[in-house]
Amino acid sequence: MKFTVLTLFPEIVRVYFESSIMARAVQKGIVAYDLVNIRDFALDKHRTCDDSPYGGGAGQLMLPEVLGAALESVKAYKKEKRVIYVTPSGKPFTQKVAAKLSKEEELVIICGRYEGIDQRIIDRYVDDEICIGDYVMSSGEVAAEVVVDTVYRLIDGVISSESLAEESFSDLLLEYPQYTRPPVYKGMEVPEVLISGNHEKVRKWRLKKRIQKTFLNRPDLIAEARMNGTLTLEAEKMIEDLTEAVFVKHSAKKCKKNL
């Protein structure tokens, strides 16, 4: 897959592509990238890329002629290229969306700045407006890196399929707690089951912990998984037992308070 990133600050993104697992993926030829400096397409000697919005209001907007020329330079209009604009007003970015994008030949990502970009650019070139979370950032580059990092690791050959199998959100459950050496750290011991050598007990413990963590931190995911029918009977039974235990504990606490 190829990632083409359009940005006013390519130096921010370049470091990411030249580091860690991404750098190895690039060296192996699994991933390719191109960083396009939007300022190279400015129309004046000051390399102006923004102007005030029509209708008034605070902030500046990226000029459509400049950004449009940058998009034309990478042939963003071609069908095999999927153009993404990272913006707080986009659709939520999820693991499911990332998995879908990982099957594309090339992603062209527009890094926003200022108050955003001219709507005519979105109408003409953009396939997906993506929001990485319910908050606003000043750097579209950081948002673009979130999208790239989530997508590229799902490409065949980057990370082993075994590592991806039980990650958070892989089946709408969060990941179980992890431990490594030493077996005792500041008086805290590694759960005995993990050093027992009994693979079946380890599997059940991990599933139970995934359910407990999801139940506490993201009950909405539990509800979605049950509605979609993606959970095993074993997982469903664990959820029922956990729900019952929480109910009993809550009832006992309420009764004690009323005494």
Side-chain angles (χ1 to χ4, degrees), residues 88 112-114 132 135-144 146:
R113 282 274 168 172
Y114 318 123
I132 64 168
Y135 47 85
V136 179
M137 305 174 67
S138 61
S139 172
E141 287 74 24
V142 175
V146 169

Side-chain angles (χ1 to χ4, degrees), residues 95 150 152-171 175 210:
Q95 191 73 10
T150 310
Y152 96 98
R153 60 196 305 282
L154 299 177
I155 300 171
D156 290 342
V158 175
I159 295 178
S160 69
S161 56
E162 182 181 354
S163 296
L164 298 174
E166 293 186 340
E167 286 188 323
S168 294
F169 310 112
S170 59
D171 53 5
E175 193 170 10
R210 295 185 75 198

Side-chain angles (χ1 to χ4, degrees), residues 14 36 46 73 79 81 107 124 132 136 166 174 213 231:
R14 182 174 291 108
V36 178
H46 301 294
S73 75
K79 290 182 179 180
K81 298 171 186 274
L107 297 182
R124 185 175 181 85
I132 64 168
V136 179
E166 293 186 340
L174 302 182
K213 192 167 189 177
L231 296 174

Side-chain angles (χ1 to χ4, degrees), residues 66-87:
V66 177
L67 182 52
L71 287 161
E72 289 286 331
S73 75
V74 299
K75 299 179 174 58
Y77 48 81
K78 287 194 171 183
K79 290 182 179 180
E80 64 269 20
K81 298 171 186 274
R82 193 159 193 88
V83 181
I84 294 170
Y85 172 43
V86 282
T87 168

Side-chain angles (χ1 to χ4, degrees), residues 10-95:
E11 62 274 13
I12 295 176
V13 187
R14 182 174 291 108
V15 174
Y16 170 77
F17 280 100
E18 294 177 351
S19 305
S20 191
I21 300 174
M22 173 59 87
R24 293 198 292 272
V26 171
Q27 291 170 1
K28 292 178 180 178
I30 301 172
V31 172
Y33 72 95
D34 185 20
L35 305 181
V36 178
N37 191 336
I38 298 170
R39 290 194 187 279
D40 290 343
F41 299 88
L43 303 175
D44 63 354
K45 64 179 181 180
H46 301 294
R47 304 180 79 193
T48 303
C49 292
D50 62 293
D51 204 346
S52 302
Y54 281 119
Q60 301 284 94
L61 287 180
M62 208 174 292
L63 291 167
E65 291 177 314
V66 177
L67 182 52
L71 287 161
E72 289 286 331
S73 75
V74 299
K75 299 179 174 58
Y77 48 81
K78 287 194 171 183
K79 290 182 179 180
E80 64 269 20
K81 298 171 186 274
R82 193 159 193 88
V83 181
I84 294 170
Y85 172 43
V86 282
T87 168
S89 60
K91 295 179 180 180
F93 185 53
T94 64
Q95 191 73 10

